[in-house]
Amino acid sequence: MGLLCQLYAQYDDGDLVREMWYALVMRQFFAILLAIPLLAQQGPAPVKDAVQKAFPNSKITAVKKEKDKGQTVYEVETKDGAVSRDFLVKPDGTILECEESLEVSALPKAVADAVKAQHPKATITTAEKLTRGPVVLYELALKEGSKKSSLSVGPAGQIQK
């Protein structure tokens, strides 16, 4: 960066057009430098390929390397229209978990009925479908008056503790 500032100062001769051009070049240069870490964090090809194969219309918005129970995994965030999905993926491309945003109106009737029976005065404010292998759960945020809580419910309406 010091070298760029020296070059800029060397050509600062009062010519406004030239100064604007140098400022634009420096801005683009720094934008590229800032983008390099973002490109590097896109994760291994098998990780991206697995997510794209599972949901071809999804756009990958972020990839983060993490540790889960001592093993390296990648959290992959995607967007598909109004639907957001977060995945946990092993470096070899094995999808461990998918968390998908849902409209409350899209919840299975058994899930909505179970919540209504357990919390008759509560309103479901957000809903997510969590899939871990063959296990599916609906993670719900509830609001009952000023009290907020969360609840996990199986697809057949079984409340999880």
Side-chain angles (χ1 to χ4, degrees):
M1 183 165 153
L3 178 61
L4 284 176
C5 291
Q6 288 174 5
L7 286 173
Y8 179 76
Q10 179 181 350
Y11 290 102
D12 184 11
D13 59 2
D15 183 350
L16 183 61
V17 173
R18 186 184 324 218
E19 287 181 33
M20 289 176 63
W21 184 83
Y22 284 121
L24 180 63
V25 168
M26 286 178 39
R27 183 175 147 223
Q28 291 302 103
F29 176 76
F30 287 114
I32 291 168
L33 282 179
L34 291 172
I36 289 171
L38 296 175
L39 295 173
Q41 76 176 1
Q42 290 303 308
V47 170
K48 296 184 293 185
D49 293 346
V51 170
Q52 286 301 148
K53 184 178 177 184
F55 293 93
N57 295 327
S58 289
K59 180 178 186 265
I60 295 175
T61 58
V63 179
K64 298 175 201 147
K65 188 176 182 179
E66 298 181 350
K67 289 282 187 184
D68 183 44
K69 298 175 187 159
Q71 89 182 48
T72 299
V73 294
Y74 290 86
E75 180 182 2
V76 181
E77 297 175 13
T78 67
K79 194 81 169 152
D80 185 358
V83 177
S84 298
R85 291 185 188 91
D86 293 344
F87 297 88
L88 278 185
V89 186
K90 290 169 65 173
D92 68 1
T94 303
I95 296 176
L96 301 172
E97 176 179 303
C98 175
E99 192 174 87
E100 178 178 347
S101 66
L102 288 178
E103 292 291 327
V104 173
S105 60
L107 285 170
K109 184 176 178 348
V111 172
D113 289 349
V115 172
K116 199 63 155 167
Q118 183 97 13
H119 301 276
K121 295 181 181 179
T123 303
I124 301 171
T125 57
T126 61
E128 293 182 331
K129 179 181 178 181
L130 177 66
T131 306
R132 286 187 190 130
V135 178
V136 175
L137 286 176
Y138 293 89
E139 295 185 339
L140 311 171
L142 306 176
K143 185 173 181 184
E144 197 167 344
S146 62
K147 182 182 174 193
K148 294 180 181 181
S149 61
S150 61
L151 190 63
S152 293
V153 183
Q158 61 277 33
I159 304 285
Q160 305 294 307
K161 303 268 175 178

